Amino acid sequence: MHVAHLTATFPPHYTGTGLVCYHNALGLAQRGHQVTVITATPPAGTIADEPDPPGLTVRRLPSLWRVGNAPLLRGVLPLHDVDLVHLHYPFYFGGEMVLYNWLRHRVPYVVTYHQDVRFQGALRLPEALHHRLIGRLILGRARRVLATSWDYARASRLRHLLHACPARLDELPNGVDTERCRPGLESISLRTRYRLPPDARVVLFVGALDQAHYFKGIPVLIEALRLLADTRTRLLIVGDGNLRPLYEQHTWAAGVAGQVHFCGRVSSAELPLHYALADVLVLPSVTMGEAFGMVLLEALACGTPVIASNLPGVRSVVNDGCDGVLVPPGDAAALAAALRRFPGDAVARGTAGAHGRAKVVERYSWPVLIPRLEAIYDKVLLTDAGHG
């Protein structure tokens, strides 16, 4: 079959949504399907650290306008020469184009619903109106809507679809490359680069530091580090964005600037080494803008335990007390207590890491998930052929 994936972001512009699209498309191409990815030209200054994989056609189009990470792309339509469109949503402008394409050419489409959008300030009301007037229509006309977990589907804006059209909703988790992210990776060079003391306890955060990802909870993590009051602990923050200067100010105000290293963006090749370096990865998100947490899978695949906010979807990834710890969103004191537990107990870290690695290999590796996606496509096309 010929499948077109439409996504707002795609490597080398690294986001969770773009990585899911990348592995969906790559896995399908490796199974013999014709796959075209339609996305935006990467932002200025983006460095392509890896070439596009063979077997994929990637169309990077200029953006005429942007809302957050969502670009209005020139040249997307028409999409009548494919069997199926796979929309990675939310994607303002992109979703409308896919809906119009269905109305005009009746090309069926599938939606991966990555998360609710939670804007702040002046955009909050327009976004809510958009969802009621257009977003529900985009989801309602999809042949299948794929939730990353049933937990998130029940708590998010998908719940109306779960009640109204449950047959159109499926669960397909995000996945992880368990060969790229694996235990035993050598990270001594990073200890030298970041000038870590021999007895340092390394806490890692990985995520975008831009306004679109304001919900990642960096201020909560910085406050937890202050409450921890352990000078041996070092916090590495991997990622960049326009909120970084503000977060750097937070570290100075909290008196922990000497314990925090802002690493900036790192290459896809070096990211697993950072997971291997860490005693624990923390995902301290504060809203349901965080729906899953791919960094949790990547860390667990490397045998690194995790601490995450007890949010719908996120909590489906972490086995609390087994391969990680869940803490109430926004609770810096609870996060500090969790940090005291994991970095300070090598036995607990090793046991949790082993459990996490085994879990992701069994449930979340791409070779497990891609056949499930392929089967969903087959059902959609068979149903459409029967109706035709």
Side-chain angles (χ1 to χ4, degrees):
M1 73 183 82
H2 186 184
V3 183
H5 279 256
L6 185 61
T7 177
T9 58
F10 193 79
H13 183 191
Y14 287 97
T15 66
T17 297
L19 284 173
V20 170
C21 178
Y22 174 92
H23 285 287
N24 283 176
L26 178 60
L28 290 165
Q30 290 173 339
R31 293 176 70 85
H33 300 288
Q34 184 180 354
V35 184
T36 300
V37 175
I38 303 170
T39 190
T41 302
T46 303
I47 299 174
D49 54 358
E50 292 182 7
D52 292 331
L56 288 185
T57 299
V58 183
R59 292 173 53 200
R60 290 186 170 86
L61 304 176
S63 56
L64 305 175
W65 187 260
R66 280 185 178 270
V67 175
N69 278 331
L72 172 59
L73 300 179
R74 183 174 61 197
V76 171
L77 299 176
L79 283 171
H80 55 74
D81 57 346
V82 298
D83 299 307
L84 187 72
V85 176
H86 189 146
L87 170 66
H88 293 266
Y89 191 80
F91 181 176
Y92 297 115
F93 312 120
E96 288 82 351
M97 290 182 184
V98 170
L99 177 61
Y100 175 81
N101 192 66
W102 177 82
L103 293 170
R104 180 72 176 83
H105 301 289
R106 284 299 190 266
V107 178
Y109 66 94
V110 168
V111 172
T112 292
Y113 190 82
H114 289 274
Q115 77 270 337
D116 288 352
V117 173
R118 303 276 172 159
F119 281 136
Q120 293 178 310
L123 289 176
R124 190 172 181 175
L125 179 58
E127 188 282 321
L129 289 173
H130 175 275
H131 174 71
R132 284 186 172 273
L133 298 176
I134 302 175
R136 286 189 176 186
L137 194 59
I138 293 169
L139 296 174
R141 293 295 182 270
R143 290 293 188 265
R144 288 290 189 282
V145 175
L146 310 180
T148 53
S149 71
W150 289 119
D151 183 37
Y152 195 76
R154 288 188 290 268
S156 70
R157 287 173 168 174
L158 290 182
R159 60 184 176 270
H160 82 278
L161 194 63
L162 188 61
H163 295 300
C165 305
R168 289 197 175 189
L169 197 62
D170 279 307
E171 181 193 52
L172 188 72
N174 297 331
V176 62
D177 183 343
T178 54
E179 292 299 317
R180 173 174 162 266
C181 296
R182 64 187 188 276
L185 296 173
E186 183 56 66
S187 57
I188 293 178
S189 61
L190 295 184
R191 284 192 166 272
T192 302
R193 179 190 304 178
Y194 298 130
R195 300 178 181 177
L196 298 174
D199 64 343
R201 298 174 175 179
V202 181
V203 177
L204 178 67
F205 170 89
V206 177
L209 308 185
D210 56 15
Q211 187 61 46
H213 295 85
Y214 74 91
F215 55 81
K216 290 291 185 177
I218 298 293
V220 178
L221 179 54
I222 292 170
E223 175 62 11
L225 184 62
R226 184 188 72 81
L227 294 174
L228 184 63
D230 182 356
T231 56
R232 292 171 297 174
T233 299
R234 296 293 186 272
L235 171 60
L236 302 184
I237 297 180
V238 171
D240 215 338
N242 61 351
L243 293 182
R244 175 173 169 173
L246 178 63
Y247 296 149
E248 289 175 336
Q249 290 175 18
H250 281 317
T251 67
W252 286 103
V256 296
Q259 295 176 249
V260 182
H261 191 102
F262 286 85
C263 308
R265 294 186 179 91
V266 304
S267 69
S268 60
E270 281 198 326
L271 184 56
L273 305 184
H274 286 74
Y275 292 124
L277 171 67
D279 293 302
V280 65
L281 172 100
V282 180
L283 184 66
S285 301
V286 294
T287 79
M288 282 180 58
E290 192 72 72
F292 191 84
M294 285 188 65
V295 295
L296 299 174
L297 293 185
E298 292 176 337
L300 291 171
C302 290
T304 301
V306 298
I307 301 171
S309 297
N310 192 351
L311 289 165
V314 175
R315 62 193 177 203
S316 71
V317 180
V318 181
N319 289 344
D320 190 22
C322 181
D323 52 36
V325 175
L326 293 171
V327 297
D331 190 334
L335 180 53
L339 287 172
R340 288 189 188 95
R341 172 182 172 181
F342 262 136
D345 189 336
V347 175
R349 285 200 314 273
T351 301
H355 283 305
R357 170 68 183 182
K359 178 180 70 178
V360 298
V361 169
E362 178 185 355
R363 301 182 195 174
Y364 297 107
S365 65
W366 288 115
V368 170
L369 296 173
I370 295 302
R372 290 173 56 181
L373 178 60
E374 185 181 46
I376 290 168
Y377 288 171
D378 288 339
K379 288 179 183 178
V380 167
L381 294 178
L382 184 62
T383 302
D384 266 44
H387 288 164

